[in-house]
Structure formats: C-alpha cells, structure tokens
C-alpha cells in the first residue's frame, strides 16, 4: 500500500524555510505526512539543516508526521525521483544554496519539466496562504486533468476558482491584420471554429462544477498573451494552477512558455500539474 506524503526540498536558506512552511501546511491540508529532503554531496552536512527544518515544522504542526531524506547528488534528479509517488513536491525560488545556485530559476523550470506529479513552486511575497481564490490557466479540452486538480485544490482550501481560458493555441501570439478583408464564408468558418474550440473546455468545466458543487467558479476567456494575463491575475490569487505541456528541445525536456513565465513572474505560488 502506497503511503501518501508531501515532499519538500530544503537547503538551509531562508527561501527553503518558507517552502517548508508552505509544504507543512499543504501536508495538513492533504491529510498526509511530510518528507523533508536535502540533496548534498556529503551526507554529514545534512544533519544540521534537516534538524532545524524538522524542529520548526513540529513546533508549528505537532500532529504532523515528518520524516527526513538525505539524497546524494543533484537536487533536481532527487526531487524528480521523489515525485513519482508523492502527492505533491514543494520547492522555493531564489535560494542561494544547492537548490538554485547563483542562476535564478535553475531548479524550478528543470523540475517542472521532469516531475512526474504535481509541483508547487513557492513564489510571491506572502509568508503564508492568505485565503485568496485558486487561479486556473486552462488551454483547451486536453487540460481536463489539470482542471480536475484545480477544482480539488479549491475544495481543499474552501476557496473559489477563477478560470482563465485560452481556447486556441494558435492565438497565443496576436495575428497581424490581413490587408485583404475576410469573406463572409471565411468569417463564418472562423466563428464555427471558435465555437468548437470553446465547447469542449466549457462542457468539461460544467461537469466538474456538478462534481464539486461547493466550489464557486468564475470564468474569463483570453484571446491573446495568456502568460501576461495570468501573471497579472496572480496578484489576487492564493495559488495558480497550470498544466505542464512538455516538449523536447536541444537541452532535453522543457515546459511551454506560459509555465516558464509564471515560474519567473507570478505573484503567488505556482502549482504545475504534468499531463499528456
């Protein structure tokens, strides 16, 4: 029987302290235990950092079951392995230790491309969850699994759900105006395509609302620049949920531009849900 647990990566930095605070709260919210992981070249270096992290967590959540893991080698690979059977993996950003190094964002984008389960990247300047709504960036009907996770997240938090829909990937970049006016048949064909593109995500949201009647839902359609719209909307959100559409590039697996933008610019934690 697989045990349910949340995993958090720590490195002794103030950023990782904040990540462990969020992870402990998430473990309580999920009803799971918490696993605190530190990846170091020398196992003897881990004891002080892990001891400090566990002491802080137990002082705040005395009933939470906490275990520690020392992983030798790279933090990204260690957390990616842990993600295979974890309910959630939590990391911070802008750390100065082994997690991010000198280059900002070296861990979270790489981990977002490799994690096999949900990943929470703690961003923004809020020391704790302030009770805001859950924000969902929904690309199309293939994101039904991501939408389901966002509904469950809102239900766990007792929060509302705000959905920003981007019904067509071909509209991610604004088109230049055509010098030739569109024909009536062309306009009708485009309108039919728009309706078809929006029908599936709309019906999927309706089904999810029926399954989660206690979740208040607001939806808005975004025709262009979804990364900018989502980034701006994160100012008022408790967490933003986004699906990881992975692709293979020169440097291996990577996420799409919307995920990468949110990992660098969001004003609240980013919850990346892999699918596809």
């Amino acid at each position: 029987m697989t045990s349910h647990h949340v995993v958090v990566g720590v490195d002794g930095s103030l950023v990782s302290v904040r990540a462990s605070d969020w992870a402990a709260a998430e473990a309580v919210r999920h009803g799971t235990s918490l696993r605190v992981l530190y990846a170091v070249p020398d196992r003897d270096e881990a004891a002080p950092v892990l001891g400090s992290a566990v002491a802080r967590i137990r002082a705040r959540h005395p009933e939470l079951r906490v275990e520690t893991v020392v992983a030798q080698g790279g933090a990204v690979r260690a957390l990616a392995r842990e993600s295979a059977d974890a309910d959630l993996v939590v990391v911070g950003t802008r750390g100065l230790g082994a997690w991010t190094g000198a280059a900002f964002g070296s861990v979270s984008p790489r981990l977002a491309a490799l994690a096999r389960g949900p990943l929470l990247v703690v961003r923004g300047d809020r020391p704790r969850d302030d009770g805001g709504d859950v924000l969902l960036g929904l690309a199309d009907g293939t994101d039904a699994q991501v939408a389901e996770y966002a509904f469950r997240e809102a239900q766990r938090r007792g929060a509302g759900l705000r959905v920003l829909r981007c019904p067509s990937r071909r509209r991610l970049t604004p088109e230049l105006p055509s010098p030739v006016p569109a024909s009536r048949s062309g306009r009708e064909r485009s309108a039919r395509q728009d309706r078809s593109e929006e029908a599936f995500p709309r019906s999927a949201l309706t089904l999810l609302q029926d399954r989660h009647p206690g979740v208040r839902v607001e939806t808005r359609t975004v025709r262009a620049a979804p990364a900018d719209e989502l980034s701006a909307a994160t100012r008022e959100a408790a967490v933003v949920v986004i699906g990881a559409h992975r692709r293979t590039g020169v440097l291996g697996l990577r996420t799409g531009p919307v995920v990468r933008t949110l990992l660098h610019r969001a004003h609240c934690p980013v919850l990346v849900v892999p699918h596809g």
Side-chain angles (χ1 to χ4, degrees):
M1 181 171 155
T2 302
S3 65
H4 291 280
H5 59 276
V6 169
V7 176
V8 60
V10 299
D11 66 354
S13 69
L14 290 176
V15 171
S16 78
V17 169
R18 190 166 166 218
S20 66
D21 287 349
W22 275 84
E26 291 296 331
V28 171
R29 187 177 287 121
H30 283 251
T32 70
S33 62
L34 178 63
R35 182 175 296 176
V36 184
L37 183 147
Y38 186 22
V40 286
D42 185 348
R43 299 178 68 89
D44 292 337
E45 298 177 17
V49 171
L50 289 174
S52 176
V54 171
R56 179 182 175 92
I57 291 166
R58 285 179 173 156
R60 295 182 169 212
H61 304 279
E63 302 300 320
L64 180 63
R65 186 161 59 88
V66 184
E67 61 179 307
T68 60
V69 176
V70 180
Q72 289 184 284
V76 172
R77 293 291 178 182
L79 288 168
R81 287 193 301 270
E82 288 286 330
S83 72
D85 60 357
D87 286 25
L88 180 68
V89 172
V90 182
V91 294
T93 57
R94 294 184 184 268
L96 299 178
W99 294 105
T100 55
F104 163 65
S106 63
V107 163
S108 55
R110 288 162 56 204
L111 189 54
L114 294 174
R116 296 165 62 183
L119 169 69
L120 180 66
V121 179
V122 178
R123 283 195 51 78
D125 55 4
R126 302 168 203 167
R128 59 182 176 78
D129 184 354
D130 59 3
D133 287 344
V134 173
L135 176 66
L136 168 64
L138 186 62
D140 55 29
T142 65
D143 280 352
Q145 177 183 345
V146 181
E148 171 68 38
Y149 193 95
F151 269 86
R152 293 201 306 266
E153 186 68 19
Q155 186 167 301
R156 277 191 290 265
R157 293 170 175 270
L161 177 64
R162 288 189 291 137
V163 184
L164 264 63
R165 294 191 297 132
C166 311
S168 175
R169 298 186 191 283
R170 65 184 171 82
R171 294 181 185 269
L172 294 183
T173 303
E175 297 179 359
L176 294 175
S178 172
V180 180
S183 64
R184 178 177 177 181
S185 61
R187 290 195 298 270
E188 291 175 348
R189 184 166 57 252
S190 178
R192 284 196 303 271
Q193 185 174 2
D194 285 346
R195 288 193 297 271
S196 175
E197 288 171 341
E198 294 190 25
F200 188 20
R202 187 185 298 118
S203 63
L205 286 174
T206 300
L207 288 173
L208 288 170
Q209 283 182 269
D210 291 341
R211 284 189 224 160
H212 303 273
V215 176
R216 171 180 49 82
V217 182
E218 299 177 11
T219 63
R220 181 162 64 89
T221 298
V222 177
R223 290 295 181 185
D228 292 340
E229 293 277 357
L230 278 168
S231 294
T234 60
R235 293 182 184 276
E236 306 299 328
V239 64
V240 57
V241 179
I242 189 74
H245 299 276
R246 288 151 173 183
R247 60 199 70 181
T248 303
V250 176
L251 300 177
L253 280 175
R254 60 184 300 183
T255 56
V258 175
V259 173
R260 293 198 301 274
T261 298
L262 288 175
L263 290 177
H264 285 77
R265 289 169 41 192
H267 301 279
C268 70
V270 181
L271 216 169
V272 182
V273 181
H275 72 102

